[in-house]
PDB file of all heavy atoms in Angstrom:
ATOM      1  N   HIS A 114     -43.201  -2.400  51.580  1.00  0.00           N
ATOM      2  CA  HIS A 114     -43.237  -2.491  53.056  1.00  0.00           C
ATOM      3  C   HIS A 114     -41.942  -2.894  53.666  1.00  0.00           C
ATOM      4  O   HIS A 114     -41.750  -2.806  54.899  1.00  0.00           O
ATOM      5  CB  HIS A 114     -44.350  -3.400  53.500  1.00  0.00           C
ATOM      6  CG  HIS A 114     -44.050  -4.858  53.205  1.00  0.00           C
ATOM      7  ND1 HIS A 114     -43.994  -5.323  51.874  1.00  0.00           N
ATOM      8  CD2 HIS A 114     -43.767  -5.875  54.002  1.00  0.00           C
ATOM      9  CE1 HIS A 114     -43.675  -6.587  51.923  1.00  0.00           C
ATOM     10  NE2 HIS A 114     -43.484  -6.945  53.149  1.00  0.00           N
ATOM     11  N   LYS A 115     -41.057  -3.451  52.911  1.00  0.00           N
ATOM     12  CA  LYS A 115     -39.824  -4.059  53.398  1.00  0.00           C
ATOM     13  C   LYS A 115     -39.028  -3.025  54.236  1.00  0.00           C
ATOM     14  O   LYS A 115     -38.195  -3.428  55.152  1.00  0.00           O
ATOM     15  CB  LYS A 115     -38.972  -4.587  52.283  1.00  0.00           C
ATOM     16  CG  LYS A 115     -39.560  -5.766  51.504  1.00  0.00           C
ATOM     17  CD  LYS A 115     -39.465  -7.024  52.320  1.00  0.00           C
ATOM     18  CE  LYS A 115     -39.976  -8.226  51.510  1.00  0.00           C
ATOM     19  NZ  LYS A 115     -40.042  -9.464  52.253  1.00  0.00           N
ATOM     20  N   LEU A 116     -39.204  -1.750  53.951  1.00  0.00           N
ATOM     21  CA  LEU A 116     -38.426  -0.697  54.637  1.00  0.00           C
ATOM     22  C   LEU A 116     -38.680  -0.765  56.119  1.00  0.00           C
ATOM     23  O   LEU A 116     -37.783  -0.380  56.970  1.00  0.00           O
ATOM     24  CB  LEU A 116     -38.744   0.636  54.035  1.00  0.00           C
ATOM     25  CG  LEU A 116     -37.794   1.835  54.391  1.00  0.00           C
ATOM     26  CD1 LEU A 116     -36.398   1.571  54.093  1.00  0.00           C
ATOM     27  CD2 LEU A 116     -38.270   3.098  53.601  1.00  0.00           C
ATOM     28  N   ASN A 117     -39.902  -1.116  56.585  1.00  0.00           N
ATOM     29  CA  ASN A 117     -40.220  -1.069  57.998  1.00  0.00           C
ATOM     30  C   ASN A 117     -39.294  -1.935  58.806  1.00  0.00           C
ATOM     31  O   ASN A 117     -38.958  -1.589  59.946  1.00  0.00           O
ATOM     32  CB  ASN A 117     -41.716  -1.588  58.174  1.00  0.00           C
ATOM     33  CG  ASN A 117     -42.725  -0.758  57.438  1.00  0.00           C
ATOM     34  OD1 ASN A 117     -42.527   0.415  57.260  1.00  0.00           O
ATOM     35  ND2 ASN A 117     -43.815  -1.375  56.974  1.00  0.00           N
ATOM     36  N   SER A 118     -38.951  -3.118  58.334  1.00  0.00           N
ATOM     37  CA  SER A 118     -38.014  -3.936  59.070  1.00  0.00           C
ATOM     38  C   SER A 118     -36.551  -3.638  58.742  1.00  0.00           C
ATOM     39  O   SER A 118     -35.709  -3.769  59.624  1.00  0.00           O
ATOM     40  CB  SER A 118     -38.324  -5.430  58.758  1.00  0.00           C
ATOM     41  OG  SER A 118     -37.500  -6.284  59.547  1.00  0.00           O
ATOM     42  N   ALA A 119     -36.327  -3.209  57.560  1.00  0.00           N
ATOM     43  CA  ALA A 119     -34.963  -2.872  57.152  1.00  0.00           C
ATOM     44  C   ALA A 119     -34.364  -1.769  58.115  1.00  0.00           C
ATOM     45  O   ALA A 119     -33.239  -1.869  58.565  1.00  0.00           O
ATOM     46  CB  ALA A 119     -34.878  -2.384  55.713  1.00  0.00           C
ATOM     47  N   ILE A 120     -35.206  -0.790  58.354  1.00  0.00           N
ATOM     48  CA  ILE A 120     -34.757   0.310  59.256  1.00  0.00           C
ATOM     49  C   ILE A 120     -34.409  -0.200  60.638  1.00  0.00           C
ATOM     50  O   ILE A 120     -33.402   0.136  61.222  1.00  0.00           O
ATOM     51  CB  ILE A 120     -35.899   1.385  59.316  1.00  0.00           C
ATOM     52  CG1 ILE A 120     -35.993   2.109  58.007  1.00  0.00           C
ATOM     53  CG2 ILE A 120     -35.570   2.379  60.455  1.00  0.00           C
ATOM     54  CD1 ILE A 120     -37.256   2.969  57.896  1.00  0.00           C
ATOM     55  N   ALA A 121     -35.304  -1.054  61.166  1.00  0.00           N
ATOM     56  CA  ALA A 121     -35.063  -1.631  62.506  1.00  0.00           C
ATOM     57  C   ALA A 121     -33.785  -2.425  62.535  1.00  0.00           C
ATOM     58  O   ALA A 121     -32.965  -2.251  63.419  1.00  0.00           O
ATOM     59  CB  ALA A 121     -36.247  -2.482  62.920  1.00  0.00           C
ATOM     60  N   GLN A 122     -33.580  -3.263  61.501  1.00  0.00           N
ATOM     61  CA  GLN A 122     -32.414  -4.145  61.537  1.00  0.00           C
ATOM     62  C   GLN A 122     -31.107  -3.295  61.351  1.00  0.00           C
ATOM     63  O   GLN A 122     -30.124  -3.636  61.971  1.00  0.00           O
ATOM     64  CB  GLN A 122     -32.586  -5.234  60.461  1.00  0.00           C
ATOM     65  CG  GLN A 122     -33.850  -6.124  60.742  1.00  0.00           C
ATOM     66  CD  GLN A 122     -33.774  -7.440  59.970  1.00  0.00           C
ATOM     67  OE1 GLN A 122     -32.768  -8.089  59.816  1.00  0.00           O
ATOM     68  NE2 GLN A 122     -34.929  -7.781  59.420  1.00  0.00           N
ATOM     69  N   ALA A 123     -31.158  -2.348  60.434  1.00  0.00           N
ATOM     70  CA  ALA A 123     -29.960  -1.483  60.271  1.00  0.00           C
ATOM     71  C   ALA A 123     -29.651  -0.709  61.578  1.00  0.00           C
ATOM     72  O   ALA A 123     -28.497  -0.581  61.921  1.00  0.00           O
ATOM     73  CB  ALA A 123     -30.184  -0.575  59.108  1.00  0.00           C
ATOM     74  N   TYR A 124     -30.718  -0.205  62.188  1.00  0.00           N
ATOM     75  CA  TYR A 124     -30.492   0.549  63.393  1.00  0.00           C
ATOM     76  C   TYR A 124     -29.837  -0.267  64.500  1.00  0.00           C
ATOM     77  O   TYR A 124     -28.854   0.143  65.123  1.00  0.00           O
ATOM     78  CB  TYR A 124     -31.799   1.119  63.937  1.00  0.00           C
ATOM     79  CG  TYR A 124     -31.680   1.617  65.342  1.00  0.00           C
ATOM     80  CD1 TYR A 124     -30.967   2.764  65.636  1.00  0.00           C
ATOM     81  CD2 TYR A 124     -32.143   0.827  66.393  1.00  0.00           C
ATOM     82  CE1 TYR A 124     -30.790   3.218  66.980  1.00  0.00           C
ATOM     83  CE2 TYR A 124     -31.956   1.236  67.769  1.00  0.00           C
ATOM     84  CZ  TYR A 124     -31.294   2.448  67.998  1.00  0.00           C
ATOM     85  OH  TYR A 124     -31.098   2.847  69.284  1.00  0.00           O
ATOM     86  N   TYR A 125     -30.389  -1.499  64.771  1.00  0.00           N
ATOM     87  CA  TYR A 125     -29.794  -2.296  65.869  1.00  0.00           C
ATOM     88  C   TYR A 125     -28.387  -2.730  65.498  1.00  0.00           C
ATOM     89  O   TYR A 125     -27.535  -2.841  66.403  1.00  0.00           O
ATOM     90  CB  TYR A 125     -30.675  -3.570  66.102  1.00  0.00           C
ATOM     91  CG  TYR A 125     -31.981  -3.247  66.748  1.00  0.00           C
ATOM     92  CD1 TYR A 125     -33.225  -3.531  66.126  1.00  0.00           C
ATOM     93  CD2 TYR A 125     -31.987  -2.679  68.010  1.00  0.00           C
ATOM     94  CE1 TYR A 125     -34.441  -3.288  66.803  1.00  0.00           C
ATOM     95  CE2 TYR A 125     -33.222  -2.372  68.684  1.00  0.00           C
ATOM     96  CZ  TYR A 125     -34.417  -2.656  68.105  1.00  0.00           C
ATOM     97  OH  TYR A 125     -35.581  -2.396  68.700  1.00  0.00           O
ATOM     98  N   ALA A 126     -28.099  -2.961  64.211  1.00  0.00           N
ATOM     99  CA  ALA A 126     -26.716  -3.261  63.841  1.00  0.00           C
ATOM    100  C   ALA A 126     -25.751  -2.093  64.171  1.00  0.00           C
ATOM    101  O   ALA A 126     -24.698  -2.287  64.747  1.00  0.00           O
ATOM    102  CB  ALA A 126     -26.657  -3.575  62.345  1.00  0.00           C
ATOM    103  N   LYS A 127     -26.261  -0.875  63.845  1.00  0.00           N
ATOM    104  CA  LYS A 127     -25.414   0.298  64.097  1.00  0.00           C
ATOM    105  C   LYS A 127     -25.238   0.477  65.615  1.00  0.00           C
ATOM    106  O   LYS A 127     -24.118   0.765  66.075  1.00  0.00           O
ATOM    107  CB  LYS A 127     -26.077   1.515  63.478  1.00  0.00           C
ATOM    108  CG  LYS A 127     -25.264   2.784  63.488  1.00  0.00           C
ATOM    109  CD  LYS A 127     -24.092   2.665  62.586  1.00  0.00           C
ATOM    110  CE  LYS A 127     -23.266   3.977  62.608  1.00  0.00           C
ATOM    111  NZ  LYS A 127     -22.129   3.908  61.624  1.00  0.00           N
ATOM    112  N   ALA A 128     -26.334   0.348  66.328  1.00  0.00           N
ATOM    113  CA  ALA A 128     -26.299   0.581  67.760  1.00  0.00           C
ATOM    114  C   ALA A 128     -25.369  -0.448  68.476  1.00  0.00           C
ATOM    115  O   ALA A 128     -24.716  -0.108  69.507  1.00  0.00           O
ATOM    116  CB  ALA A 128     -27.689   0.421  68.354  1.00  0.00           C
ATOM    117  N   GLN A 129     -25.216  -1.616  67.879  1.00  0.00           N
ATOM    118  CA  GLN A 129     -24.365  -2.613  68.436  1.00  0.00           C
ATOM    119  C   GLN A 129     -22.889  -2.390  68.041  1.00  0.00           C
ATOM    120  O   GLN A 129     -22.000  -3.063  68.561  1.00  0.00           O
ATOM    121  CB  GLN A 129     -24.837  -4.002  67.977  1.00  0.00           C
ATOM    122  CG  GLN A 129     -24.135  -5.152  68.665  1.00  0.00           C
ATOM    123  CD  GLN A 129     -24.608  -6.560  68.148  1.00  0.00           C
ATOM    124  OE1 GLN A 129     -25.756  -6.601  67.759  1.00  0.00           O
ATOM    125  NE2 GLN A 129     -23.726  -7.501  68.168  1.00  0.00           N
ATOM    126  N   GLY A 130     -22.643  -1.430  67.226  1.00  0.00           N
ATOM    127  CA  GLY A 130     -21.276  -1.111  66.777  1.00  0.00           C
ATOM    128  C   GLY A 130     -20.791  -2.026  65.656  1.00  0.00           C
ATOM    129  O   GLY A 130     -19.571  -2.070  65.426  1.00  0.00           O
ATOM    130  N   LEU A 131     -21.687  -2.736  65.003  1.00  0.00           N
ATOM    131  CA  LEU A 131     -21.260  -3.504  63.849  1.00  0.00           C
ATOM    132  C   LEU A 131     -20.762  -2.620  62.743  1.00  0.00           C
ATOM    133  O   LEU A 131     -21.137  -1.451  62.678  1.00  0.00           O
ATOM    134  CB  LEU A 131     -22.451  -4.376  63.343  1.00  0.00           C
ATOM    135  CG  LEU A 131     -23.003  -5.401  64.358  1.00  0.00           C
ATOM    136  CD1 LEU A 131     -24.189  -6.191  63.756  1.00  0.00           C
ATOM    137  CD2 LEU A 131     -21.915  -6.389  64.763  1.00  0.00           C
ATOM    138  N   THR A 132     -19.903  -3.220  61.942  1.00  0.00           N
ATOM    139  CA  THR A 132     -19.321  -2.373  60.880  1.00  0.00           C
ATOM    140  C   THR A 132     -19.757  -2.728  59.484  1.00  0.00           C
ATOM    141  O   THR A 132     -19.412  -2.065  58.521  1.00  0.00           O
ATOM    142  CB  THR A 132     -17.757  -2.443  60.945  1.00  0.00           C
ATOM    143  OG1 THR A 132     -17.410  -3.877  61.024  1.00  0.00           O
ATOM    144  CG2 THR A 132     -17.225  -1.764  62.219  1.00  0.00           C
ATOM    145  N   SER A 133     -20.522  -3.860  59.344  1.00  0.00           N
ATOM    146  CA  SER A 133     -21.092  -4.131  58.065  1.00  0.00           C
ATOM    147  C   SER A 133     -22.218  -5.146  58.177  1.00  0.00           C
ATOM    148  O   SER A 133     -22.355  -5.839  59.179  1.00  0.00           O
ATOM    149  CB  SER A 133     -20.032  -4.635  57.092  1.00  0.00           C
ATOM    150  OG  SER A 133     -19.498  -5.862  57.488  1.00  0.00           O
ATOM    151  N   LEU A 134     -23.026  -5.261  57.157  1.00  0.00           N
ATOM    152  CA  LEU A 134     -24.087  -6.211  57.100  1.00  0.00           C
ATOM    153  C   LEU A 134     -24.103  -6.907  55.734  1.00  0.00           C
ATOM    154  O   LEU A 134     -23.624  -6.385  54.752  1.00  0.00           O
ATOM    155  CB  LEU A 134     -25.489  -5.500  57.231  1.00  0.00           C
ATOM    156  CG  LEU A 134     -25.779  -4.924  58.630  1.00  0.00           C
ATOM    157  CD1 LEU A 134     -27.087  -4.139  58.555  1.00  0.00           C
ATOM    158  CD2 LEU A 134     -25.858  -6.004  59.687  1.00  0.00           C
ATOM    159  N   THR A 135     -24.677  -8.098  55.746  1.00  0.00           N
ATOM    160  CA  THR A 135     -24.880  -8.784  54.479  1.00  0.00           C
ATOM    161  C   THR A 135     -26.364  -9.249  54.376  1.00  0.00           C
ATOM    162  O   THR A 135     -27.008  -9.438  55.407  1.00  0.00           O
ATOM    163  CB  THR A 135     -24.068 -10.117  54.352  1.00  0.00           C
ATOM    164  OG1 THR A 135     -24.547 -11.080  55.284  1.00  0.00           O
ATOM    165  CG2 THR A 135     -22.545  -9.852  54.559  1.00  0.00           C
ATOM    166  N   THR A 136     -26.826  -9.358  53.176  1.00  0.00           N
ATOM    167  CA  THR A 136     -28.200  -9.896  52.950  1.00  0.00           C
ATOM    168  C   THR A 136     -28.204 -10.482  51.567  1.00  0.00           C
ATOM    169  O   THR A 136     -27.249 -10.414  50.803  1.00  0.00           O
ATOM    170  CB  THR A 136     -29.227  -8.874  53.175  1.00  0.00           C
ATOM    171  OG1 THR A 136     -30.487  -9.571  53.362  1.00  0.00           O
ATOM    172  CG2 THR A 136     -29.362  -7.968  51.985  1.00  0.00           C
ATOM    173  N   GLU A 137     -29.389 -11.061  51.238  1.00  0.00           N
ATOM    174  CA  GLU A 137     -29.596 -11.540  49.856  1.00  0.00           C
ATOM    175  C   GLU A 137     -30.824 -10.848  49.314  1.00  0.00           C
ATOM    176  O   GLU A 137     -31.598 -10.291  50.054  1.00  0.00           O
ATOM    177  CB  GLU A 137     -29.848 -13.081  49.826  1.00  0.00           C
ATOM    178  CG  GLU A 137     -31.245 -13.512  50.198  1.00  0.00           C
ATOM    179  CD  GLU A 137     -31.512 -13.158  51.673  1.00  0.00           C
ATOM    180  OE1 GLU A 137     -30.622 -13.283  52.506  1.00  0.00           O
ATOM    181  OE2 GLU A 137     -32.653 -12.728  52.002  1.00  0.00           O
ATOM    182  N   THR A 138     -30.922 -10.802  47.974  1.00  0.00           N
ATOM    183  CA  THR A 138     -32.155 -10.262  47.390  1.00  0.00           C
ATOM    184  C   THR A 138     -32.428 -11.013  46.146  1.00  0.00           C
ATOM    185  O   THR A 138     -31.511 -11.457  45.400  1.00  0.00           O
ATOM    186  CB  THR A 138     -32.072  -8.742  47.200  1.00  0.00           C
ATOM    187  OG1 THR A 138     -33.441  -8.253  47.061  1.00  0.00           O
ATOM    188  CG2 THR A 138     -31.359  -8.352  45.954  1.00  0.00           C
ATOM    189  N   GLY A 139     -33.683 -11.243  45.840  1.00  0.00           N
ATOM    190  CA  GLY A 139     -34.082 -11.922  44.662  1.00  0.00           C
ATOM    191  C   GLY A 139     -34.781 -10.887  43.737  1.00  0.00           C
ATOM    192  O   GLY A 139     -34.086 -10.226  42.883  1.00  0.00           O
ATOM    193  N   ALA A 140     -36.020 -10.635  43.930  1.00  0.00           N
ATOM    194  CA  ALA A 140     -36.755  -9.602  43.165  1.00  0.00           C
ATOM    195  C   ALA A 140     -36.188  -8.237  43.401  1.00  0.00           C
ATOM    196  O   ALA A 140     -36.244  -7.404  42.479  1.00  0.00           O
ATOM    197  CB  ALA A 140     -38.241  -9.639  43.565  1.00  0.00           C
ATOM    198  N   GLY A 141     -35.619  -8.033  44.565  1.00  0.00           N
ATOM    199  CA  GLY A 141     -34.942  -6.740  44.785  1.00  0.00           C
ATOM    200  C   GLY A 141     -35.555  -5.781  45.777  1.00  0.00           C
ATOM    201  O   GLY A 141     -34.960  -4.816  46.197  1.00  0.00           O
ATOM    202  N   GLN A 142     -36.804  -6.023  46.186  1.00  0.00           N
ATOM    203  CA  GLN A 142     -37.487  -5.132  47.139  1.00  0.00           C
ATOM    204  C   GLN A 142     -36.711  -5.083  48.433  1.00  0.00           C
ATOM    205  O   GLN A 142     -36.474  -3.966  48.916  1.00  0.00           O
ATOM    206  CB  GLN A 142     -38.943  -5.570  47.436  1.00  0.00           C
ATOM    207  CG  GLN A 142     -39.905  -5.332  46.305  1.00  0.00           C
ATOM    208  CD  GLN A 142     -40.232  -6.637  45.597  1.00  0.00           C
ATOM    209  OE1 GLN A 142     -39.393  -7.517  45.454  1.00  0.00           O
ATOM    210  NE2 GLN A 142     -41.416  -6.741  45.062  1.00  0.00           N
ATOM    211  N   TRP A 143     -36.340  -6.213  48.966  1.00  0.00           N
ATOM    212  CA  TRP A 143     -35.644  -6.236  50.255  1.00  0.00           C
ATOM    213  C   TRP A 143     -34.248  -5.610  50.145  1.00  0.00           C
ATOM    214  O   TRP A 143     -33.867  -4.771  50.960  1.00  0.00           O
ATOM    215  CB  TRP A 143     -35.530  -7.634  50.763  1.00  0.00           C
ATOM    216  CG  TRP A 143     -34.624  -7.799  51.940  1.00  0.00           C
ATOM    217  CD1 TRP A 143     -33.428  -8.474  52.023  1.00  0.00           C
ATOM    218  CD2 TRP A 143     -34.831  -7.164  53.237  1.00  0.00           C
ATOM    219  NE1 TRP A 143     -32.918  -8.341  53.234  1.00  0.00           N
ATOM    220  CE2 TRP A 143     -33.714  -7.555  54.044  1.00  0.00           C
ATOM    221  CE3 TRP A 143     -35.837  -6.367  53.821  1.00  0.00           C
ATOM    222  CZ2 TRP A 143     -33.555  -7.142  55.386  1.00  0.00           C
ATOM    223  CZ3 TRP A 143     -35.683  -5.934  55.133  1.00  0.00           C
ATOM    224  CH2 TRP A 143     -34.572  -6.342  55.902  1.00  0.00           C
ATOM    225  N   GLY A 144     -33.525  -5.915  49.080  1.00  0.00           N
ATOM    226  CA  GLY A 144     -32.194  -5.339  48.866  1.00  0.00           C
ATOM    227  C   GLY A 144     -32.286  -3.814  48.789  1.00  0.00           C
ATOM    228  O   GLY A 144     -31.433  -3.117  49.354  1.00  0.00           O
ATOM    229  N   THR A 145     -33.285  -3.353  48.063  1.00  0.00           N
ATOM    230  CA  THR A 145     -33.459  -1.904  47.955  1.00  0.00           C
ATOM    231  C   THR A 145     -33.730  -1.248  49.283  1.00  0.00           C
ATOM    232  O   THR A 145     -33.157  -0.262  49.635  1.00  0.00           O
ATOM    233  CB  THR A 145     -34.595  -1.583  46.964  1.00  0.00           C
ATOM    234  OG1 THR A 145     -34.336  -2.243  45.738  1.00  0.00           O
ATOM    235  CG2 THR A 145     -34.743  -0.143  46.735  1.00  0.00           C
ATOM    236  N   ALA A 146     -34.724  -1.828  50.045  1.00  0.00           N
ATOM    237  CA  ALA A 146     -35.093  -1.258  51.306  1.00  0.00           C
ATOM    238  C   ALA A 146     -33.928  -1.259  52.285  1.00  0.00           C
ATOM    239  O   ALA A 146     -33.671  -0.286  52.971  1.00  0.00           O
ATOM    240  CB  ALA A 146     -36.274  -2.069  51.881  1.00  0.00           C
ATOM    241  N   LEU A 147     -33.199  -2.362  52.307  1.00  0.00           N
ATOM    242  CA  LEU A 147     -32.100  -2.425  53.262  1.00  0.00           C
ATOM    243  C   LEU A 147     -30.967  -1.492  52.895  1.00  0.00           C
ATOM    244  O   LEU A 147     -30.372  -0.825  53.750  1.00  0.00           O
ATOM    245  CB  LEU A 147     -31.536  -3.874  53.370  1.00  0.00           C
ATOM    246  CG  LEU A 147     -30.574  -4.064  54.480  1.00  0.00           C
ATOM    247  CD1 LEU A 147     -31.200  -3.812  55.836  1.00  0.00           C
ATOM    248  CD2 LEU A 147     -29.976  -5.483  54.422  1.00  0.00           C
ATOM    249  N   ALA A 148     -30.689  -1.344  51.566  1.00  0.00           N
ATOM    250  CA  ALA A 148     -29.702  -0.368  51.134  1.00  0.00           C
ATOM    251  C   ALA A 148     -30.082   1.057  51.577  1.00  0.00           C
ATOM    252  O   ALA A 148     -29.285   1.856  52.022  1.00  0.00           O
ATOM    253  CB  ALA A 148     -29.541  -0.407  49.612  1.00  0.00           C
ATOM    254  N   GLU A 149     -31.355   1.344  51.422  1.00  0.00           N
ATOM    255  CA  GLU A 149     -31.867   2.643  51.837  1.00  0.00           C
ATOM    256  C   GLU A 149     -31.671   2.842  53.341  1.00  0.00           C
ATOM    257  O   GLU A 149     -31.207   3.942  53.772  1.00  0.00           O
ATOM    258  CB  GLU A 149     -33.347   2.725  51.481  1.00  0.00           C
ATOM    259  CG  GLU A 149     -33.925   4.132  51.458  1.00  0.00           C
ATOM    260  CD  GLU A 149     -35.262   4.158  50.758  1.00  0.00           C
ATOM    261  OE1 GLU A 149     -35.602   3.328  49.944  1.00  0.00           O
ATOM    262  OE2 GLU A 149     -36.042   5.071  51.135  1.00  0.00           O
ATOM    263  N   ALA A 150     -32.018   1.847  54.117  1.00  0.00           N
ATOM    264  CA  ALA A 150     -31.851   1.920  55.597  1.00  0.00           C
ATOM    265  C   ALA A 150     -30.385   2.066  55.983  1.00  0.00           C
ATOM    266  O   ALA A 150     -30.039   2.845  56.862  1.00  0.00           O
ATOM    267  CB  ALA A 150     -32.500   0.749  56.278  1.00  0.00           C
ATOM    268  N   CYS A 151     -29.545   1.279  55.290  1.00  0.00           N
ATOM    269  CA  CYS A 151     -28.096   1.277  55.677  1.00  0.00           C
ATOM    270  C   CYS A 151     -27.469   2.637  55.308  1.00  0.00           C
ATOM    271  O   CYS A 151     -26.612   3.125  55.995  1.00  0.00           O
ATOM    272  CB  CYS A 151     -27.372   0.152  54.977  1.00  0.00           C
ATOM    273  SG  CYS A 151     -27.705  -1.431  55.784  1.00  0.00           S
ATOM    274  N   ALA A 152     -27.920   3.226  54.137  1.00  0.00           N
ATOM    275  CA  ALA A 152     -27.406   4.527  53.775  1.00  0.00           C
ATOM    276  C   ALA A 152     -27.781   5.536  54.872  1.00  0.00           C
ATOM    277  O   ALA A 152     -26.941   6.407  55.226  1.00  0.00           O
ATOM    278  CB  ALA A 152     -28.021   4.992  52.490  1.00  0.00           C
ATOM    279  N   TYR A 153     -28.947   5.429  55.422  1.00  0.00           N
ATOM    280  CA  TYR A 153     -29.421   6.330  56.458  1.00  0.00           C
ATOM    281  C   TYR A 153     -28.637   6.223  57.737  1.00  0.00           C
ATOM    282  O   TYR A 153     -28.318   7.228  58.321  1.00  0.00           O
ATOM    283  CB  TYR A 153     -30.927   6.072  56.693  1.00  0.00           C
ATOM    284  CG  TYR A 153     -31.560   7.054  57.607  1.00  0.00           C
ATOM    285  CD1 TYR A 153     -32.048   8.292  57.170  1.00  0.00           C
ATOM    286  CD2 TYR A 153     -31.720   6.763  58.990  1.00  0.00           C
ATOM    287  CE1 TYR A 153     -32.638   9.217  57.966  1.00  0.00           C
ATOM    288  CE2 TYR A 153     -32.361   7.683  59.819  1.00  0.00           C
ATOM    289  CZ  TYR A 153     -32.810   8.881  59.328  1.00  0.00           C
ATOM    290  OH  TYR A 153     -33.399   9.821  60.182  1.00  0.00           O
TER     291      TYR A 153
END
Side-chain angles (χ1 to χ4, degrees):
Chain A
H114 68 292
K115 294 286 185 185
L116 194 55
N117 300 328
S118 184
I120 290 167
Q122 297 196 45
Y124 165 74
Y125 287 121
K127 188 70 180 181
Q129 189 180 330
L131 296 179
T132 49
S133 64
L134 290 174
T135 68
T136 197
E137 78 295 323
T138 201
Q142 286 104 329
W143 170 245
T145 304
L147 189 63
E149 196 166 334
C151 286
Y153 185 82

